[in-house]
Structure formats: structure tokens, C-alpha cells
Amino acid sequence: MARGRKRKAGKRHPSGKLVQPRRAESQSDILGTALDARQRHYGIGAQQARDERLGTALGRLSFAGKIRPDQYAAGELYGELMARHNAIMGLPIDQPRSVTGLLINEGIFGGGAPDPDPELVDKIRRQAAGAALMLRGCDQDITGRAGRRPSVLVHILACHDVEALRWSPADLHNLRLGLDTLCRFFRIRRDSF
């Protein structure tokens, strides 16, 4: 009587280890998995799952109809401006998308890019300061109202990608006020969408 379990059939390496079949996952398989997950998670159809706005918290608010397209565009521009500002000023990015990004931020490796042009640094610093100043003005305009300040809401949504679909009505109202302020700052007209 043989001891142990039966030997599995199949090709083997010289060491006796079973050769595992190699099947590379194609791009369509990866996309299909992501679309299936979006359909399950958000309860939407296959065509709606392809909407690129579902990839960010700001986009999901726009997809749900809680903010207008011009407000969505202003939030996207603000997020990009603040990311550029942090990169140029040598500040860590708000949300590293990978371990490599985290290691570069911490100075462990990489990140040895040449110093940016002083004019570009000055331009981006002025833009970021202008956007922050306008948002602070919006904060002062709503003093005494319920909910968090618009500057805080816009920043955590556009820069930190904090989920906002379940925010209180007061917070959503204040967020819209902040995004309207950014529409004026970036000169985005409501009728352009």
C-alpha cells in the first residue's frame, strides 16, 4: 500500500514540481473585471459602468447628479493645480497611487528630477494661492451656517478623494458653493457644458 496521496497527472519540472499553466490576463479581461465590480458596487448597467467619472469621488458625485458638470470641471482643475503645486514645492503628494510613488515621496529612491523653472514655480504658487484665497472668502461668506467649510470640503474631495455621496445636505450645499467659487476662479461658465 502506497503512503500519502496520489500523484497529480501533468508535466513536471526536473525537480519534480508540477508545471503550472501560464495564462496571461488580457487587457479585455482586466477591463471586464473592473466593469463587473463597478456594476455590482454601484448597481448600474454595463454601459454606465464605462463612465470614467466613476473612478473618483468627485466624478461619482457628478455621475449621481449632485453637482453640475461645470462644478465637476472646476473640482478637477483644482485637484490638478494642487497636485502640481505640491510636486513643484517638494511637498508629498496627497494620495500616492502606488508603493513606488510612496517610496519616491519619502526620498527612498528616484525623484531626482531637475529643479523646475523659477517662472513656472512662481506661476503655480500664485495660482494655488489665488484659489485658496477665493475659497477662504467663500468660507467667510457662509459664517454661521450648518456644515463644514467649503474650502475643507473641496480640498478633501478633489485632493484626497474622500467619498462624498453620503455627506449631509448642508455639507453638499457648502461643497457646491465652494465649487461655484472655483468656477469663477477658473472662469468656467455654466452654459459651456
Side-chain angles (χ1 to χ4, degrees), residues 6-122:
K6 288 185 178 180
R7 187 176 176 116
K8 293 183 179 178
K11 280 184 95 176
R12 299 195 172 267
H13 291 286
S15 66
K17 195 173 189 180
L18 196 60
V19 174
Q20 297 295 321
R22 291 189 180 245
R23 181 183 171 270
E25 199 170 20
S26 69
Q27 187 70 22
S28 62
D29 291 340
I30 295 169
L31 182 62
T33 302
L35 293 177
D36 289 342
R38 280 185 178 176
Q39 288 176 26
R40 281 191 318 272
H41 191 71
Y42 301 118
I44 55 177
Q47 193 62 28
Q48 291 175 320
R50 292 185 175 272
D51 194 329
E52 67 182 35
R53 294 177 297 171
L54 291 173
T56 64
L58 181 67
R60 287 188 289 276
L61 273 182
S62 176
F63 183 81
K66 296 190 180 211
I67 60 173
R68 297 186 315 265
D70 59 324
Q71 292 171 329
Y72 171 67
E76 287 282 300
L77 285 173
Y78 176 78
E80 290 170 12
L81 173 64
M82 296 315 285
R84 275 191 316 225
H85 176 263
N86 288 352
I88 284 181
M89 299 308 295
L91 300 171
I93 57 176
D94 288 326
Q95 191 177 31
R97 302 268 185 223
S98 67
V99 173
T100 305
L102 186 61
L103 293 173
I104 289 171
N105 277 350
E106 297 300 322
I108 295 172
F109 73 89
D115 291 334
D117 179 34
E119 291 176 16
L120 177 66
V121 171
D122 189 48

Side-chain angles (χ1 to χ4, degrees), residues 90-169:
L91 300 171
I93 57 176
D94 288 326
Q95 191 177 31
R97 302 268 185 223
S98 67
V99 173
T100 305
L102 186 61
L103 293 173
I104 289 171
N105 277 350
E106 297 300 322
I108 295 172
F109 73 89
D115 291 334
D117 179 34
E119 291 176 16
L120 177 66
V121 171
D122 189 48
K123 177 184 172 188
I124 291 178
R125 285 179 67 187
R126 279 188 274 117
Q127 283 180 331
L133 186 63
M134 285 202 61
L135 284 172
R136 272 189 249 124
C138 182
D139 289 348
Q140 292 173 352
D141 291 345
I142 67 154
T143 314
R145 293 184 104 176
R148 294 178 279 179
R149 297 178 313 193
S151 62
V152 171
L153 295 170
V154 167
H155 190 77
I156 64 174
L157 182 63
C159 298
H160 297 286
D161 205 35
V162 172
E163 191 58 55
L165 285 172
R166 293 189 187 355
W167 282 358
S168 70

